[in-house]
Amino acid sequence: MGARAGPGGMILAWLALLALLGGRASAGCAEEGRCCPGRDPACTSTGWRVSRAYGTCYCDEACQRTGDCCYDHAQACPALPCIVGEWSHWSGCAEQCKPNFRMRTRSVQQEPQNGGEPCPPLEEKAGCMEYATYEGQDCGEGHGTFPAFITTSEYSKERKRRAANPRWSSETEEFRSYCVEFKTETLSPRCSMENRPYARWMQYLREGYTVCVMCQPPAMHSASRRCSGDGADADRDKVLHWQAIGNPFCYGTWKKVKEVEECSCPQVHSFIFT
């Protein structure tokens, strides 16, 4: 028994048979010059379908789902994915001297065509808190001892490059970063329910876990050279409070384990004071 012919060979055989029978030659999308976005009932040709039926076939994007594309649709109307540009720099915080959001964006350089891969998110947010007003005045020491405002360390490098506080540009012994290890005691249910892209890091907060929180110069108070809520004078039995930047309903308590020079927790359990 001979080898089974592939799809291309079958189509050529059908076309030859149609010609012998005096039927109309297959047109397809290429000959008609048609490739239509979305669902367009008027975007048609006459010829073989990919389903091996002959007659009216379609050259729109929807034909891939309905299975009535012309035989040459994939070649005549190739799928092109969305292409986006680089992320912009992070914006400033939306409000002064209080927890809020910052944002970065990117633009579409090529729209998806013919069922190509759709565009990824064009906007990204992250929790933030400014340390000076737009006029350059210090926000002051008014945050109090509690709670500790924390965010993901994922944005730490960007923060280093773009921090407005001049102390950051040349870290000295006077304003050197330090890390505090805490053991989480309680947290609100909203932390584990968080699925917004800029706040998914909150899902890694778990009761009983040890987490590391870095205190960096931009978050230090100018007088104390400490970060709010770091438990500087607290013993191991004192319950301290924290709140996640970006979701005021994600908060909890923890106890200080120790202060160290360098953080050693895994990335998903490493955070920064804001």
Side-chain angles (χ1 to χ4, degrees):
M1 183 178 292
R4 181 179 298 180
M10 291 291 291
I11 290 175
L12 290 175
W14 292 330
L15 292 176
L17 177 61
L18 184 66
L20 288 173
L21 296 175
R24 180 173 181 264
S26 177
C29 301
E31 187 172 322
E32 295 289 348
R34 292 193 171 184
C35 288
C36 307
R39 186 180 183 88
D40 186 352
C43 191
T44 64
S45 181
T46 301
W48 292 101
R49 294 183 179 181
V50 292
S51 62
R52 301 180 182 178
Y54 185 84
T56 300
C57 57
Y58 294 83
C59 302
D60 60 349
E61 289 181 353
C63 76
Q64 298 178 48
R65 296 191 301 272
T66 54
D68 50 12
C69 295
C70 295
Y71 74 96
D72 66 343
H73 180 267
Q75 293 74 36
C77 309
L80 298 177
C82 175
I83 297 177
V84 297
E86 296 293 326
W87 285 111
S88 67
H89 289 301
W90 285 101
S91 69
C93 211
E95 292 189 62
Q96 304 174 47
C97 301
K98 63 173 62 177
N100 212 284
F101 302 103
R102 56 179 174 166
M103 183 185 302
R104 63 179 181 176
T105 59
R106 54 186 175 184
S107 59
V108 175
Q109 296 182 340
Q110 174 183 283
E111 293 285 354
Q113 298 178 31
N114 306 320
E117 192 71 23
C119 293
L122 302 178
E123 178 183 289
E124 188 172 66
K125 292 181 179 178
C128 66
M129 189 160 72
E130 297 287 6
Y131 310 103
T133 66
Y134 299 140
E135 292 75 29
Q137 298 177 334
D138 196 327
C139 286
E141 308 281 336
H143 304 306
T145 307
F146 305 111
F149 291 107
I150 64 170
T151 189
T152 175
S153 62
E154 177 184 353
Y155 304 112
S156 180
K157 292 181 180 179
E158 185 74 18
R159 180 186 188 184
K160 289 179 183 179
R161 291 196 298 268
R162 296 185 56 77
N165 195 316
R167 296 196 302 259
W168 186 257
S169 58
S170 56
E171 189 176 272
T172 64
E173 289 292 334
E174 189 177 23
F175 293 104
R176 184 171 292 280
S177 299
Y178 61 90
C179 182
V180 184
E181 293 183 6
F182 297 95
K183 183 177 181 180
T184 55
E185 296 286 314
T186 63
L187 71 159
S188 62
R190 291 289 292 272
C191 297
S192 60
M193 296 167 57
E194 184 58 77
N195 57 13
R196 291 173 292 178
Y198 63 87
R200 286 177 184 155
W201 61 271
M202 299 175 194
Q203 297 178 1
Y204 295 105
L205 290 161
R206 294 285 189 273
E207 291 183 4
Y209 281 27
T210 297
V211 298
C212 293
V213 189
M214 177 67 76
C215 177
Q216 300 170 324
M220 292 180 182
H221 296 309
S222 56
S224 66
R225 301 175 190 130
R226 309 286 302 188
C227 289
S228 292
D230 69 349
D233 301 320
D235 57 34
R236 294 192 174 198
D237 294 324
K238 185 172 183 179
V239 176
L240 306 172
H241 296 259
W242 57 266
Q243 179 179 317
I245 294 292
N247 180 357
F249 301 105
C250 178
Y251 54 85
T253 61
W254 54 26
K255 290 183 179 179
K256 182 177 178 179
V257 177
K258 60 182 177 180
E259 181 177 318
V260 294
E261 186 173 333
E262 297 290 338
C263 291
S264 59
C265 295
Q267 182 70 20
V268 293
H269 300 305
S270 298
F271 309 98
I272 57 175
F273 288 102
T274 55

